[in-house]
Amino acid sequence: MKIVRFSTSSKTQYGILEGTSVNGLKTSPFEDGWNINNLKLDGSNYTLDKITLLTPCVPGKYIGIGINYKSSVIKSGRPAPETPIIFYKPPTAVIGTGAEIIFPLEQDAEVVYEGELGVVIGKKCKKVKQEDALIHVLGYTCANDVTDRIKFKVDKGNDVRAKGADTFGPIGPCISTDIDPGNVEIRTWLNGELRQQGNSSDMIFNVPFLIAYLSNFMTLLPGDVIATGTPAGNIMPVQPGDVVKVEIEGIGTLENTFVSHR
Ligand code: MG
C-alpha cells in the first residue's frame, strides 16, 4: 500500500495511491490505534494531475543518520562509526516532492544531495528491542538529505545550519508499507544522470538497530522520520536550476528542483 498526503483546492487529507489515482482516506493513518487493515476510504477519488502531493507525513522529529553505508566508509577511507552518528532537521526543513529547494543566500555555499531511505514511524515506541522494532513502522519513503558542506566545515561539524535550513529535508512521494528495508535499491539522479546507487543491505546500522538505538533514549512518535544515511556515489555540488531525483524501488521517485534564494 502507498499512502500519500495531498491537497485539493478545498482541503488537505491522506489517501491511498494506486497508479495515477488517489482514493481519499477518512482519517489520518497516524491516529492512535492505527491498524493498516482498518484504514477507511471516504469515497473520494482523484487523479494525480488534479491534486498536489505534500510531505507524506508531518514529522515532529526528522532524525538523520550520518556515515551509515559500508560503501561510503570504503570510499572515504575513514573508519566506520562504532555507534550511529545522529543529527536533526527541524520540521521547517521538510518539504514534499515537487516543492522547490531554496539555495542559500551565501555565495560560497557548497550544496549537495544525499539520496536516502526514510523510515516513517507509525506507532509510539520507547525502549523497543530490535526484534520488535519494525512493527512500529508505518512504512518507508524517499529522503534527500540536502547539506551545505561549507557551513558544515565552518561550523566545525555542528550541522544545524548545514542540514537544517528551510527546504533542506525533502521527503516523499508516498509512504510504502510493503518494502523490505533491509534490501532495496536506492538511486539518485542529478539532471537525469545517475549519481548514486546502493542497496540498503549495505547499511552499517540497519533499520531495526536504529529504531532500537534511538528509542532507547528518545521516544519516537507517529509521523517521525529517520533518514538512514546515503550510499557512496558521485555527489557533486548543485546549482540553482538543478533537478535531483531520489528513486527507491517499491516506493517511487522524490523529485525537487533547486532555486535561487528570494
Ligand atoms: Mg545523509
Side-chain angles (χ1 to χ4, degrees):
M1 184 187 292
K2 290 181 175 176
I3 297 168
V4 292
R5 193 171 141 265
F6 65 98
S7 65
T8 63
S9 54
S10 60
K11 62 178 176 176
T12 294
Q13 66 177 111
Y14 288 88
I16 306 292
L17 174 66
E18 286 174 15
T20 57
S21 167
V22 174
N23 291 306
L25 280 168
K26 260 187 183 161
T27 54
S28 157
F30 295 101
E31 283 183 7
D32 238 22
W34 155 74
N35 179 334
I36 199 99
N37 299 311
N38 288 347
L39 294 177
K40 299 248 180 350
L41 300 175
D42 68 1
S44 65
N45 177 269
Y46 307 89
T47 52
L48 278 178
D49 59 336
K50 296 286 192 295
I51 60 175
T52 302
L53 288 180
L54 306 171
T55 58
C57 56
V58 183
K61 294 193 283 297
Y62 175 125
I63 303 155
I65 307 297
I67 313 176
N68 195 31
Y69 274 78
K70 294 168 194 161
S71 59
S72 66
V73 167
I74 291 165
K75 187 173 181 187
S76 70
R78 291 174 300 194
E82 291 177 8
T83 53
I85 296 169
I86 304 168
F87 63 88
Y88 255 140
K89 286 184 196 276
T92 39
V94 179
I95 58 171
T97 192
E100 293 171 335
I101 306 170
I102 300 170
F103 211 77
L105 186 60
E106 296 82 0
Q107 295 295 316
D108 64 345
E110 188 180 304
V111 179
V112 297
Y113 46 86
E114 296 183 355
E116 310 196 358
L117 175 67
V119 180
V120 181
I121 298 296
K123 291 176 179 162
K124 179 177 174 178
C125 60
K126 187 176 173 72
K127 298 188 192 303
V128 297
K129 296 186 180 125
Q130 285 190 56
E131 54 266 38
D132 300 326
L134 294 187
I135 60 173
H136 298 85
V137 174
L138 175 61
Y140 302 88
T141 193
C142 307
N144 182 356
D145 170 20
V146 179
T147 303
D148 181 345
R149 287 174 167 171
I150 295 291
K151 290 198 180 69
F152 191 78
K153 279 180 205 150
V154 169
D155 294 349
K156 298 183 169 52
N158 178 324
D159 43 29
V160 174
R161 288 201 306 158
K163 289 178 179 286
D166 286 352
T167 73
F168 272 25
I171 55 171
C174 67
I175 300 164
S176 176
T177 61
D178 302 321
I179 68 163
D180 172 5
N183 183 22
V184 282
E185 285 287 315
I186 302 164
R187 296 183 185 86
T188 307
W189 309 78
L190 173 61
N191 300 327
E193 281 181 32
L194 183 62
R195 292 303 179 102
Q196 286 183 279
Q197 182 166 15
N199 189 291
S200 60
S201 61
D202 190 42
M203 284 183 194
I204 296 168
F205 304 108
N206 66 20
V207 172
F209 182 95
L210 290 171
I211 292 171
Y213 183 86
L214 292 167
S215 78
N216 194 45
F217 66 92
M218 172 195 285
T219 304
L220 300 175
L221 296 174
D224 284 352
V225 168
I226 306 167
T228 53
T230 201
N234 183 10
I235 301 177
M236 301 294 291
V238 298
Q239 297 299 326
D242 286 345
V243 179
V244 173
K245 294 184 188 179
V246 180
E247 177 193 19
I248 301 180
E249 59 176 336
I251 301 175
T253 303
L254 168 68
E255 177 173 340
N256 300 91
T257 301
F258 286 83
V259 298
S260 294
H261 194 281
R262 289 160 293 197

